[in-house]
Amino acid sequence: MNCFEIFLHKIKFLCYRVKKVKFLRNKRLFKLNPIMISGKEVFPLIEGGKGINASDGRSCGAWAHENCVGTFSGVSPDFYDENGKVVIERIFQKKRADRHEQMIEYAIKGGVAQAQIAHEISNGNGRIHMNMLWEMADSEKILTGVLERAKGLIHGVTCGAGLPYHLGELASKFGVYYYPIVSSARAFQVLWKRAYSNFKEFLGGVVYEDPWLAGGHNGLSNAEDPNKPQRPYERLVELRKTLRNLGLEDTPIILAGGVWSLKEWEDYIDNPDIGKIAFQFGTRPMITKESPVSDAWKKLMLQLKKGDVILQKFSPTGFFSSAVKNTFLENLIRRKDGEIAFKAEADNEFSHPLEMSSIKTVYIKPEDVSKAERQISVGYTEIKETPDSTVVFLTPDEWKQMQKDRAECVGCLSQCQFSTWSRANGTTGKIPDPRSYCIHKTLYDVGHNGSIKDNLLFAGHQVYRFATDPLYRNGIPSVKELIEKIKSGD
């Protein structure tokens, strides 16, 4: 964009802003018009899909019932026995390939069950979407299985964590709208040129997820600084410009990540530079009566303060992710801070021997000796190599648990840094990374009333606002009450 274009853009936006302020003052109400999403006119309010058991058919159906868009998670969703009780995942097969196949079958059963629940609760209102993690191993197989067995119950599929090239083809096959999650205009352009241009009819919208504010896995590229967030406005304008150049003028942009109150985003509504827009709420719906997260989890979120959620890169996916800084995350941070570089053979720089085991000795820098001795002296006596020619220090119990988790791996990711599983080749060919963790185990545990201190708690960076939001002062609201508050602008 040249200087003249920038000048025109600023003048255009200033005129729009003055007009918008005058309108709001005259009307004294918040204007929110329905838009077309997944083939039906609904309010442009969308429940974020999140991960394991953080959104399900109950919350999804409740959002749809209010003529909005509900989203249930397709990542290890629950299914039920003949008595209506949750079937807790139990996978005992000896071979990882067999455990992996059972995980897939569980996921398909769960996806169908949650779609049925959402459909019943919605009473035919709104839209029902399913959220899928593309980096989940065999995500296409799971998605195909759910859409085959739940025909007519699911209207749209959102998908992120990677570049879901085959999403358009797969969704179009079932006549279901698809919504890729991207963090930049460039990412969508790559998807369009490589795949989506052939499946234009069922492209329901493009989800722009702010990589600095969103909870869970974030789409930060190597060119972006995690400590230097960028304003979403300019990135949305660029995305709309890209969509227009591709002939997608009427395709909605769905803003996700950091969305709490619509009043804070009024400059984005009916804005000609952004075009059709909807808003996805990920964190705020986690504290409602219909939300499936545990009471302990909800109570914790009501007490969090600004800065309690941090952006870090411990995930076995290799992606950045945002999570609550609890005991689980503090242990990973401690392990990373205690990391020491080594070499297999001594040289002038790496000259001090460090005995990793009775049969293996490596060499570290003399200035790191005190750091190693300090960790060993307080019980971190298990010294383990990382893929980056460093070592980290664990307690015997931590190492024992890590070995158990790897032995029970179900192959949940297309490739995993923690267990070295690879769906394509069986293994990544790298050393298992002791700085990471089994993501399936910890998310499933906390999603089924596990410890909120000793498990990973994904959360968006706006979660601290629960503590001061008047909506939560008198107890936990229903989805209906939350949506009415959102529609008012608050």
Side-chain angles (χ1 to χ4, degrees), residues 388-443:
D388 298 320
S389 296
T390 62
V391 291
V392 292
F393 299 76
L394 293 76
T395 66
D397 285 344
E398 286 176 335
W399 175 234
K400 185 177 180 180
Q401 184 64 57
M402 192 173 289
Q403 289 177 300
K404 183 175 185 293
D405 292 343
R406 286 175 179 154
E408 295 175 352
C409 172
V410 297
C412 68
L413 299 174
S414 60
Q415 56 180 7
C416 176
Q417 295 179 355
F418 174 75
S419 69
T420 73
W421 157 265
S422 168
R423 184 66 185 90
N425 305 310
T427 177
T428 62
K430 297 181 179 179
I431 296 171
D433 196 336
R435 297 166 298 186
S436 192
Y437 52 86
C438 177
I439 193 168
H440 181 83
K441 173 198 165 186
T442 187
L443 291 180

Side-chain angles (χ1 to χ4, degrees), residues 1 15 54 140 169 308 328 434 463 465:
M1 188 180 287
C15 293
E140 295 177 55
E169 180 180 6
D308 284 345
F328 179 89
V463 69
R465 298 180 64 171

Side-chain angles (χ1 to χ4, degrees), residues 38-334:
S38 292
K40 186 176 183 179
E41 200 171 68
V42 296
F43 286 109
L45 305 176
I46 299 174
E47 176 194 19
K50 298 178 281 294
I52 295 178
N53 211 45
S55 60
D56 65 0
R58 292 169 293 174
S59 59
C60 172
W63 273 74
H65 187 272
E66 301 307 313
N67 206 34
C68 298
V69 179
T71 310
F72 69 87
S73 171
V75 182
S76 295
D78 287 338
F79 64 98
Y80 310 90
D81 64 18
E82 62 275 9
N83 298 315
K85 293 184 177 181
V86 173
V87 177
I88 297 297
E89 185 177 271
R90 296 284 186 266
I91 301 177
F92 298 112
Q93 281 83 354
K94 292 183 178 180
K95 294 182 179 180
R96 179 158 51 187
D98 294 335
R99 295 195 296 271
H100 177 70
E101 289 303 317
Q102 187 175 353
M103 181 204 71
I104 292 172
E105 184 57 30
Y106 275 5
I108 293 173
K109 286 182 179 179
V112 174
Q114 298 309 322
Q116 291 171 336
I117 291 170
H119 175 74
E120 292 171 5
I121 293 174
S122 72
N123 197 31
N125 297 332
R127 298 281 86 177
I128 293 169
H129 287 185
M130 172 179 171
N131 183 60
M132 176 55 69
L133 178 78
W134 195 251
E135 283 300 307
M136 187 175 178
D138 281 315
S139 57
E140 295 177 55
K141 187 174 181 179
I142 294 169
L143 191 52
T144 298
V146 173
L147 293 179
E148 281 179 343
R149 300 186 197 179
K151 290 181 179 178
L153 303 182
I154 298 170
H155 309 111
V157 177
T158 56
C159 193
L163 292 172
Y165 292 115
H166 299 147
L167 177 63
E169 180 180 6
L170 196 159
S172 299
K173 175 183 174 182
F174 292 95
V176 170
Y177 291 88
Y178 65 100
Y179 299 80
I181 302 173
V182 300
S183 59
S184 68
R186 181 178 175 275
F188 178 76
Q189 195 158 23
V190 170
L191 288 168
W192 177 261
K193 289 182 177 180
R194 181 165 171 177
Y196 294 170
S197 59
N198 297 319
F199 304 97
K200 180 178 178 179
E201 180 183 0
F202 286 99
L203 177 63
V206 180
V207 181
Y208 169 80
E209 187 174 73
D210 189 290
W212 290 277
L213 293 176
H217 290 107
N218 302 46
L220 277 170
S221 71
N222 292 330
E224 292 163 329
D225 188 336
N227 298 313
K228 294 181 179 179
Q230 298 175 15
R231 285 186 62 218
Y233 186 85
E234 287 77 10
R235 294 166 74 94
L236 285 178
V237 170
E238 183 182 2
L239 177 56
R240 175 55 66 191
K241 185 177 180 180
T242 297
L243 293 175
R244 284 171 176 153
N245 290 339
L246 297 173
L248 303 172
E249 168 70 35
D250 293 328
T251 300
I253 293 175
I254 298 166
L255 176 61
V259 180
W260 189 274
S261 165
L262 288 183
K263 282 182 179 178
E264 298 163 0
W265 303 94
E266 62 180 302
D267 292 342
Y268 294 58
I269 300 173
D270 298 328
N271 186 319
D273 288 333
I274 293 176
K276 288 185 179 179
I277 188 169
F279 297 88
Q280 180 169 301
F281 295 78
T283 299
R284 211 172 176 193
M286 292 182 74
I287 301 185
T288 62
K289 292 177 181 177
E290 295 85 350
S291 168
V293 305
S294 68
D295 290 341
W297 193 346
K298 290 175 183 176
K299 183 178 179 181
L300 174 69
M301 287 190 287
L302 285 167
Q303 299 170 349
L304 292 176
K305 299 179 177 60
K306 193 170 186 177
D308 284 345
V309 171
I310 61 172
L311 187 62
Q312 37 72 36
K313 206 176 183 182
F314 296 114
S315 171
T317 62
F319 297 139
F320 279 94
S321 64
S322 297
V324 176
K325 190 177 180 182
N326 58 359
T327 303
F328 179 89
L329 209 54
E330 286 171 351
N331 283 336
L332 292 171
I333 293 170
R334 190 275 311 159

Side-chain angles (χ1 to χ4, degrees), residues 346-478:
D347 61 19
N348 290 336
E349 186 179 13
F350 292 81
S351 58
H352 192 280
L354 176 67
E355 189 177 289
M356 291 182 62
S357 67
S358 60
I359 60 173
K360 186 172 183 178
T361 297
V362 296
Y363 296 88
I364 63 176
K365 298 176 182 178
E367 57 264 35
D368 286 330
V369 172
S370 61
K371 185 177 182 180
E373 290 177 342
R374 188 164 56 249
Q375 295 182 83
I376 293 170
S377 68
V378 294
Y380 297 103
T381 54
E382 294 289 341
I383 307 171
K384 300 302 169 185
E385 184 178 350
T386 80
D388 298 320
S389 296
T390 62
V391 291
V392 292
F393 299 76
L394 293 76
T395 66
D397 285 344
E398 286 176 335
W399 175 234
K400 185 177 180 180
Q401 184 64 57
M402 192 173 289
Q403 289 177 300
K404 183 175 185 293
D405 292 343
R406 286 175 179 154
E408 295 175 352
C409 172
V410 297
C412 68
L413 299 174
S414 60
Q415 56 180 7
C416 176
Q417 295 179 355
F418 174 75
S419 69
T420 73
W421 157 265
S422 168
R423 184 66 185 90
N425 305 310
T427 177
T428 62
K430 297 181 179 179
I431 296 171
D433 196 336
R435 297 166 298 186
S436 192
Y437 52 86
C438 177
I439 193 168
H440 181 83
K441 173 198 165 186
T442 187
L443 291 180
Y444 193 88
D445 189 37
V446 78
H448 293 83
N449 297 308
S451 169
I452 58 171
K453 293 181 179 180
D454 301 316
N455 283 299
L456 182 70
L457 287 178
F458 279 147
H461 291 259
Q462 301 288 316
V463 69
Y464 70 93
R465 298 180 64 171
F466 279 123
T468 56
D469 191 321
L471 180 63
Y472 304 90
R473 287 178 184 169
N474 298 317
I476 295 176
S478 66

